[in-house]
Amino acid sequence: MTKPLLDVRNLAVSFETERGRAAVLDGVSFQLNAGETLGLVGESGCGKSVTSLAITRLLPKPSGQIDQGEVLLDGVNLLALSPAELRKIRGPRIGMVFQDAMTALNPVKRLHQQMAESISLHAPELSPKAVQARSLELLNDVGIPSPELRLNDYPHQLSGGMRQRVMIAMALSAEPDLLIADEPTTALDVTVQAQILALIQRLQKERGMAVIFITHDLGVVAQICERVAVMYAGRIAEQGSVADLFSDPKHPYTRGLFNSIPHLDREPLTELPTIEGLVPSPFDMPRGCRFSTRCPQVTERCKQSPELQFKQGRELACHEVSL
Amino acid sequence: MSLLKVTDLEKRFAIRGGVLRGVKGWVQAVNGVSLEVAPGKTLGIVGESGCGKSTLGRAILQLEQPTAGDVEFEGQSQIGRSKQDLLAFRREAQMVFQDAYEALNARHTVGRILREPFEIHRLGSEAERDQWVLELLHQVGLPAEAINRYPHEFSGGQRQRIGIARAIALNPKLLVCDEPVSALDVSVQSQIMNLLMQLQRQRGLAMLFIAHDLAVVKHLSHEIAVMYLGRIVEIAPTKTLFEAPKHPYTQALLDAIPTVDLDRPKTLKPLEGDVPSPINLPSGCAFRTRCPYATEACAGSVPALELNDLTRVACHRAAELSLPGLASQTQ
């Protein structure tokens, strides 16, 4: 068996708040092979973004804290690295794209300055001319028309889709092995979202990059991911290949999620199935299985945390359903 | 007879700039929209950001004064009326906003928020009003204790329930819903959609449902209008629009929806380019700059909405094109 590119083991993260400690991630484990695309899905507050911030060690300080676990990138534990060592990881090994490109880009610097910054940081030997050439090549690669006319623009002069393309170009500048994309299309219109998804898909194939795609949209996952992990209240409820999991979701939460989406082939104006109740607060997590307060199949056993079940590349955390 | 009839509605905003704050240009947000909503039915309005769908909703309710055109409610024009004169219309036509947190006064209790419509319209005694508020809470699925709590104590979905309770307080005939579920998580989104459908059935409410999510609009609407840059480009009964779209933009929207349906895998066929700026509209058909079927003739004149079977479509080439609709996803 090949060694995974990224191996996240039993990751736990908590935040210090005025109301006390909030345990936001509780024992999250998953693996990602080189060149593979993993979708991390779940509703707001489930910990999907926190997972990506913990992997890249970008949790807000001092409130966010990694309590336990390991994040192994090619066997090296990122959680044990010094800030200087981490800078050699972010960029050349792991690239990141965020939801809101407007706040991620510097509003008072022209594109060529920002591009040059991220290029020369990891390749200081390049001459200004070579940096410029590389910027053009990257912008061209992400489908920005006539990039030479765009280099002098400020971020606000670009449309939302164009800004997201620039973000992706910058994330790719040091040719990372892993791209983490945190809701990169959520703020975009559907036709522009389709453009960006097609772009990420193409770049992933061309470069053989691994991608972690964080989203709340199951349709987006089906469109571009090979594997998927469904998160609920800081834990992974279920993971497996998209083909298996989408054709036969096992966890009651996953099933509830699938049912409540307004599928295009559902009869209009009919009642939609829902998941009753609300996501539990991180200050007041139910004991045992965290979905137990909303689960239609809940039993006495659910007061204990379920053991993980493994079968043919799938993983499930539920007492009542078996793989 | 239709409940709401909108004729050639226009709304433009001035762009001011320079030292003297002179008018430097115009944004044509709504550009000659005509539509009708029948009692008890839902008309869905879809389009991407900046297409004017929210401005249309606000202009219909006279929250923005339209630049031109007419809005008739039960046969009576509502244009150019004074605030006092609009009271009757406001009682019959209410709005639900996307961000219920911003739309609700954070310093008022839920009880006070829900009592306010009755106070403004001078309905009922104190005791009656309290009784009505409790009934409203019950109808939208909130506990009676909610009455003494503040909006921030509720989750997003519950706040949207409060917003809906306020909108239906005066028993209106028309509800204009502007992206009411787009800020909510999917599991909560379906709860709110169910509530809206249930209220429609119980009260015979007509709805104008504005959203960017085609799947959501499809589920709730009897008829759907697709907007692009301030104009309706296609309007058709829901089923017809999805099975046999006539406008290339409608087809592009259908092609862009990521589907969870693995039996019908599809390759995304994204449209090229971005939506043009509404300040500098392309000549002729506004969609021609991104349209895969555009010809020279499309730059010439703005296509009018014309009846084609059950559909009204604004495309010069509608008659010659045969678009695959949602079926194109099957491979």
Side-chain angles (χ1 to χ4, degrees), chain A residues 43-44 159 189 191 193 195 218-219 222-223 242 246 257 260 262-265 267-270 272 274-275 294, chain B residues 48-49 185-187 190-191 193-194 197 215 218-220 222 242 258-262 266 271 273-274 290:
Chain A
E43 301 180 278
S44 24
S159 67
D189 280 318
T191 58
Q193 162 168 296
Q195 293 171 358
L218 290 165
Q223 201 72 58
V242 168
F246 277 50
L257 263 190
S260 51
H263 291 273
L264 282 169
D265 45 12
E267 186 61 27
L269 298 158
T270 52
L272 291 165
T274 61
I275 305 175
R294 302 172 76 190
Chain B
E48 298 181 276
S49 35
D185 276 318
V186 273
S187 70
S190 55
Q191 295 173 3
M193 287 168 66
N194 281 343
M197 289 187 285
K218 178 181 186 220
H219 197 79
L220 291 179
H222 298 87
F242 280 80
T259 165
V260 291
D261 212 340
L262 293 175
K266 68 170 177 182
L271 273 182
D274 287 314
R290 300 172 79 196

Side-chain angles (χ1 to χ4, degrees), chain A residues 42-45 48 159-162 187-198 201 216-224 242-247 253 256-258 260-279 294, chain B residues 42 47-50 53 155 157-158 184-191 193-194 197 200-201 212-216 218-222 238-239 242 249 252-262 264-275 290 326 329:
Chain A
E43 301 180 278
S44 24
K48 52 193 192 300
S159 67
M162 285 296 160
L188 304 175
D189 280 318
V190 273
T191 58
V192 182
Q193 162 168 296
Q195 293 171 358
I196 298 293
L197 292 181
Q201 220 164 7
H216 66 280
D217 188 334
L218 290 165
V220 170
V221 171
Q223 201 72 58
I224 74 166
V242 168
D244 289 345
L245 202 142
F246 277 50
S247 57
Y253 175 64
L257 263 190
F258 273 96
S260 51
I261 326 172
H263 291 273
L264 282 169
D265 45 12
R266 182 167 270 146
E267 186 61 27
L269 298 158
T270 52
E271 171 132 350
L272 291 165
T274 61
I275 305 175
E276 290 303 317
L278 299 169
V279 178
R294 302 172 76 190
Chain B
T42 302
E48 298 181 276
S49 35
K53 54 191 192 301
S155 69
Q158 288 172 319
L184 305 175
D185 276 318
V186 273
S187 70
V188 182
Q189 174 175 302
S190 55
Q191 295 173 3
M193 287 168 66
N194 281 343
M197 289 187 285
Q200 176 166 58
R201 277 194 304 273
H212 69 280
D213 186 332
L214 266 175
V216 169
K218 178 181 186 220
H219 197 79
L220 291 179
S221 307
H222 298 87
T238 302
K239 225 173 149 207
F242 280 80
Y249 180 60
L253 286 181
L254 295 180
D255 287 340
I257 314 173
T259 165
V260 291
D261 212 340
L262 293 175
R264 298 192 306 189
K266 68 170 177 182
T267 6
L268 291 172
K269 288 163 279 181
L271 273 182
E272 297 285 314
D274 287 314
V275 181
R290 300 172 79 196
L326 206 55
Q329 290 173 12

Side-chain angles (χ1 to χ4, degrees), chain A residues 3-321:
Chain A
K3 243 178 53 183
L5 172 71
L6 182 76
D7 189 355
V8 176
R9 294 183 183 174
N10 204 19
L11 190 63
V13 173
S14 64
F15 283 81
E16 203 66 61
T17 73
E18 284 173 11
R19 290 179 59 192
R21 272 171 93 75
V24 174
L25 283 193
D26 182 36
V28 166
S29 303
F30 62 87
Q31 299 186 336
L32 184 67
N33 293 323
E36 202 175 33
T37 312
L38 170 75
L40 221 47
V41 279
E43 301 180 278
S44 24
C46 72
K48 52 193 192 300
S49 292
V50 170
T51 305
S52 76
L53 293 177
I55 291 171
T56 49
R57 298 269 306 271
L58 289 171
L59 286 170
K61 277 180 188 160
S63 61
Q65 238 176 300
I66 297 173
D67 299 325
Q68 60 164 359
E70 287 180 310
V71 176
L72 304 174
L73 183 73
D74 276 336
V76 178
N77 187 4
L78 300 186
L79 304 187
L81 296 186
S82 70
E85 288 168 318
L86 272 174
R87 278 197 289 274
K88 297 204 177 92
I89 299 285
R90 297 186 201 122
R93 303 301 317 274
I94 305 183
M96 282 157 289
V97 179
F98 300 97
Q99 173 174 351
D100 188 351
M102 190 62 205
T103 47
L105 292 170
N106 187 334
V108 296
K109 281 192 175 170
R110 295 178 195 274
L111 286 190
H112 71 86
Q113 287 173 289
Q114 305 197 43
M115 294 288 300
E117 224 169 66
S118 61
I119 293 168
S120 30
L121 186 64
H122 301 291
E125 71 283 358
L126 289 183
S127 68
K129 220 172 192 163
V131 169
Q132 168 115 352
R134 178 88 179 117
S135 305
L136 286 175
E137 183 191 325
L138 284 165
L139 291 179
N140 197 41
D141 216 20
V142 295
I144 291 189
S146 36
E148 60 286 353
L149 301 176
R150 287 298 189 178
L151 275 181
N152 270 327
D153 280 357
Y154 289 100
H156 75 264
Q157 292 171 292
L158 304 176
S159 67
M162 285 296 160
R163 281 200 287 267
Q164 204 52 275
R165 285 172 195 268
V166 172
M167 278 295 295
I168 294 171
M170 287 169 67
L172 296 180
S173 62
E175 313 228 320
D177 307 310
L178 169 64
L179 180 73
I180 301 182
D182 189 353
E183 303 259 11
T185 60
T186 306
L188 304 175
D189 280 318
V190 273
T191 58
V192 182
Q193 162 168 296
Q195 293 171 358
I196 298 293
L197 292 181
L199 170 69
I200 292 177
Q201 220 164 7
R202 172 172 69 80
L203 294 170
Q204 189 262 337
K205 285 209 182 89
E206 282 172 8
R207 297 169 181 242
M209 232 175 6
V211 177
I212 297 181
F213 204 97
I214 296 170
T215 176
H216 66 280
D217 188 334
L218 290 165
V220 170
V221 171
Q223 201 72 58
I224 74 166
C225 298
E226 294 157 65
R227 285 204 308 122
V228 56
V230 180
M231 291 188 72
Y232 183 79
R235 292 182 185 161
I236 293 180
E238 173 167 22
Q239 56 177 313
S241 77
V242 168
D244 289 345
L245 202 142
F246 277 50
S247 57
D248 183 21
K250 294 283 190 189
H251 199 285
Y253 175 64
T254 321
R255 286 215 292 266
L257 263 190
F258 273 96
N259 285 335
S260 51
I261 326 172
H263 291 273
L264 282 169
D265 45 12
R266 182 167 270 146
E267 186 61 27
L269 298 158
T270 52
E271 171 132 350
L272 291 165
T274 61
I275 305 175
E276 290 303 317
L278 299 169
V279 178
S281 138
F283 300 103
D284 187 22
M285 283 293 177
R287 281 199 319 134
C289 173
R290 290 183 166 178
F291 188 57
S292 57
T293 49
R294 302 172 76 190
C295 184
Q297 286 164 269
V298 66
T299 63
E300 205 43 37
R301 285 196 288 182
C302 303
K303 288 192 180 137
Q304 309 288 322
S305 285
E307 293 282 319
L308 278 183
Q309 307 175 34
F310 300 89
K311 194 177 176 185
Q312 288 157 356
R314 286 187 74 164
E315 222 179 288
L316 173 69
C318 181
H319 287 294
E320 293 307 309
V321 185

Side-chain angles (χ1 to χ4, degrees), chain B residues 310-330:
Chain B
L310 294 169
T311 303
R312 278 183 297 145
V313 58
C315 172
H316 288 304
R317 301 194 58 196
E320 4 161 1
L321 296 178
S322 153
L323 302 170
L326 206 55
S328 68
Q329 290 173 12
T330 323

Side-chain angles (χ1 to χ4, degrees), chain B residues 161-189:
Chain B
R161 288 176 193 268
I162 301 169
I164 292 171
R166 180 177 63 179
I168 60 168
L170 299 169
N171 211 358
K173 294 189 176 125
L174 173 72
L175 219 51
V176 175
C177 304
D178 189 3
E179 300 268 14
V181 299
S182 47
L184 305 175
D185 276 318
V186 273
S187 70
V188 182
Q189 174 175 302

